[in-house]
């Protein structure tokens, strides 16, 4: 992958940086961390929607979208925006994450004009989306999904179960994959739908996580009717459309996450290492800790350049997988080190702010949560296979391996 240096902020971005800094000082909610720690679902949802509306009012909610739909910000300015939001400890857009990235990328790449006109403005008005891809028997091997959609006149009837759907409990719509041709090879009989979550037959059950929250959900579909007009792309070509969704998850979302790690997570880690421990010694004064910090900062800097380059020019067939693999495994190493340096104190933290990212500073909880990232959008093993086959041109993995 080529690192595009024009995507890195330069002197021309100084005015924009000043603008964002002034906006952050004025608008980042004070004490949001304490208010969001242990907050109810209702408080979390209301806070996320209000923060999204505040960012939208400033033109900062969807900077990566095309200009005609409310975005159009240069990659260099997006980098500046995400750096300043992280540096000012602004909340993350957790609830609208799938809406503004996965749903928007899919609609822009494969949706009809009617679907874009219906949903993109609605997303800006607060419409929440989730993703219904994984199933109990189709996680890493997503093409093995068995949720079935059968056409009956002007609609499809859908039956099946989805798993690990982030934020589904609060979602208005779902990006849904279902099998429409049970006799076709498994990647060729899948179709892509837009599912109204208020449809009769849709049941959502939250899953309680090791960190205490219920971010993920199960979705049960019992004779759910989806109009034909909500099919995305041709019937039985949903696998191809899904690559647009997964490409967004693996690559385009990483620009903000990399800047958050560099300008939010790493400074939190540095601050932790500067604090005297129970013995009065500072971890930072240990040369081994200083070496680890230097290595992690170097890796994070590399990640940030890689992500900026990818967003500016994602032409390689395996670029998104490289970025996703690098981010997810580096995130685990950073959080692991924070949990190690933090000692007993961080082992006793039981809740983290709901609107924070994976680098909240609650290191053990962050470390547990970081393992989420090597699973969704394709596990690390899948990313390495894609990089090997599509990026390096290695022989394809034998069937059944």
């Amino acid at each position: 992958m080529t690192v595009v240096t024009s995507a890195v902020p330069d002197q021309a971005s100084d005015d924009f940086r000043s603008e964002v800094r002034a906006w952050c000082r004025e608008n980042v909610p004070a004490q949001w961390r304490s208010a969001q720690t242990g907050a109810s679902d209702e408080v979390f949802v209301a806070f996320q929607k209000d923060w999204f509306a505040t960012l939208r009012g400033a033109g900062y909610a969807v900077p990566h979208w095309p200009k005609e739909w409310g975005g159009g910000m240069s990659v260099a300015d997006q980098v500046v925006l995400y750096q300043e939001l992280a540096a000012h400890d602004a909340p993350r857009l957790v609830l609208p994450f799938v809406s503004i990235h996965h749903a928007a990328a899919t609609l822009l790449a494969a949706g009809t004009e009617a679907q874009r006109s219906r949903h993109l403005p609605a997303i800006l008005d607060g419409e929440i989306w989730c993703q219904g891809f994984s199933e109990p028997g189709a996680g890493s091997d997503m093409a093995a999904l068995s949720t079935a959609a059968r056409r009956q006149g002007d609609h499809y009837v859908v039956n099946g179960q989805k798993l690990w759907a982030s934020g589904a409990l609060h979602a208005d719509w779902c990006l849904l994959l279902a099998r429409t041709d049970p006799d076709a090879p498994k990647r060729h009989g899948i179709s892509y739908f837009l599912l109204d979550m208020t449809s009769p037959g849709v049941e959502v059950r939250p899953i309680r996580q090791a960190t205490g929250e219920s971010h993920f959900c199960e979705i049960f579909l019992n004779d759910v009717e989806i109009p034909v007009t909500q099919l995305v792309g041709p019937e039985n070509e949903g696998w191809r459309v899904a690559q647009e969704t997964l490409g967004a998850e693996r690559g385009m979302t990483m620009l903000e996450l990399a800047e958050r790690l560099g300008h939010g997570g790493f400074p939190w880690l540095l601050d932790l290492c500067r604090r005297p421990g129970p013995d009065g010694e500072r971890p930072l004064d240990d040369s081994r800790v200083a070496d680890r910090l230097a290595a992690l900062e170097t890796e994070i800097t590399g990640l940030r350049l890689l992500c900026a380059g990818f967003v500016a020019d994602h032409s390689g067939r395996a670029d998104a997988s490289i970025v996703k693999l690098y981010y997810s495994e580096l995130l685990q190493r950073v959080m692991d080190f924070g949990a190690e340096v933090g000692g007993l104190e961080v082992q006793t933290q039981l809740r983290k702010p709901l609107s924070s990212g994976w680098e909240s500073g609650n290191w053990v909880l962050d470390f547990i949560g970081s393992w989420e990232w090597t699973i969704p959008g394709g596990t690390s093993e899948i990313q390495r296979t894609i990089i090997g086959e599509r990026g390096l041109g290695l022989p394809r993995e034998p069937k059944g391996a």
Side-chain angles (χ1 to χ4, degrees), residues 260-277:
R260 284 273 179 180
L261 192 57
H263 291 266
F266 187 75
W268 282 96
L269 181 61
L270 199 56
D271 181 62
L272 176 71
C273 293
R274 287 177 174 139
R275 294 180 210 160

Side-chain angles (χ1 to χ4, degrees), residues 22-102:
W23 185 89
C24 285
R25 285 194 290 268
E26 186 78 17
N27 290 279
V28 172
Q31 308 301 321
W32 70 267
R33 283 179 170 269
S34 57
Q36 284 285 288
T37 302
S40 66
D41 274 2
E42 291 73 19
V43 171
F44 164 69
V45 171
F47 178 81
Q48 281 283 306
K49 290 190 172 183
D50 182 68
W51 179 233
F52 181 79
T54 301
L55 286 167
R56 181 193 178 188
Y60 298 159
V62 289
H64 56 295
W65 284 18
K67 187 175 182 179
E68 61 267 33
W69 294 108
M73 189 179 291
S74 70
V75 175
D77 280 354
Q78 288 182 55
V79 170
V80 168
L81 173 63
Y82 295 138
Q83 286 177 351
E84 293 303 322
L85 288 173
H88 287 82
D89 194 27
R92 271 201 61 240
L93 290 175
V94 178
L95 189 62
F97 189 68
V98 173
S99 314
I100 64 175
H101 290 291
H102 308 58

Side-chain angles (χ1 to χ4, degrees), residues 6-24:
S6 61
V8 180
D10 55 19
Q11 191 67 31
S13 299
D14 282 355
D15 289 345
F16 181 63
R17 187 181 298 279
S18 298
E19 172 192 317
V20 177
R21 283 178 176 172
W23 185 89
C24 285

Side-chain angles (χ1 to χ4, degrees), residues 36-261:
Q36 284 285 288
T37 302
S40 66
D41 274 2
E42 291 73 19
V43 171
F44 164 69
V45 171
F47 178 81
Q48 281 283 306
K49 290 190 172 183
D50 182 68
W51 179 233
F52 181 79
T54 301
L55 286 167
R56 181 193 178 188
Y60 298 159
V62 289
H64 56 295
W65 284 18
K67 187 175 182 179
E68 61 267 33
W69 294 108
M73 189 179 291
S74 70
V75 175
D77 280 354
Q78 288 182 55
V79 170
V80 168
L81 173 63
Y82 295 138
Q83 286 177 351
E84 293 303 322
L85 288 173
H88 287 82
D89 194 27
R92 271 201 61 240
L93 290 175
V94 178
L95 189 62
F97 189 68
V98 173
S99 314
I100 64 175
H101 290 291
H102 308 58
T106 305
L107 291 167
L108 290 167
T112 64
E113 193 57 38
Q115 289 169 344
R116 294 189 195 108
S117 298
R118 159 66 181 84
H119 290 293
L120 292 177
I123 288 173
L124 288 177
D125 287 337
E127 189 174 82
I128 301 301
W129 285 69
C130 64
Q131 182 174 299
F133 282 13
S134 297
E135 297 183 2
S140 297
D141 184 14
M142 194 176 70
L145 63 87
S146 61
T147 292
R150 300 287 177 265
R151 183 160 179 175
Q152 294 183 5
D154 60 355
H155 64 270
Y156 291 84
V157 177
V158 182
N159 284 282
Q161 180 186 353
K162 296 295 177 179
L163 193 61
W164 308 122
S166 302
L169 192 62
H170 310 296
D172 303 299
W173 286 81
C174 175
L175 302 169
L176 182 76
L177 290 180
R179 188 164 299 285
T180 41
D181 184 351
D183 299 320
K186 62 182 185 180
R187 292 185 182 180
H188 298 282
I190 296 171
S191 296
Y192 200 118
F193 299 96
L194 309 178
L195 167 65
D196 182 346
M197 293 293 282
T198 64
S199 303
V202 176
E203 181 184 357
V204 179
R205 299 178 190 171
I207 300 171
R208 187 173 175 81
Q209 302 157 212
T211 51
E213 294 93 21
S214 296
H215 180 61
F216 300 107
C217 299
E218 296 175 286
I219 304 175
F220 295 88
L221 305 162
N222 297 300
D223 292 330
V224 177
E225 294 186 3
I226 301 179
V228 172
T229 53
Q230 288 165 210
L231 176 69
V232 182
E235 186 178 274
N236 296 328
E237 293 190 22
W239 183 262
R240 179 183 57 79
V241 178
Q243 302 316 301
E244 298 292 341
T245 312
L246 294 173
E249 183 171 13
R250 292 168 182 165
M252 301 299 283
T253 61
M254 296 296 166
L255 183 63
E256 179 190 1
L257 298 179
E259 294 302 331
R260 284 273 179 180
L261 192 57

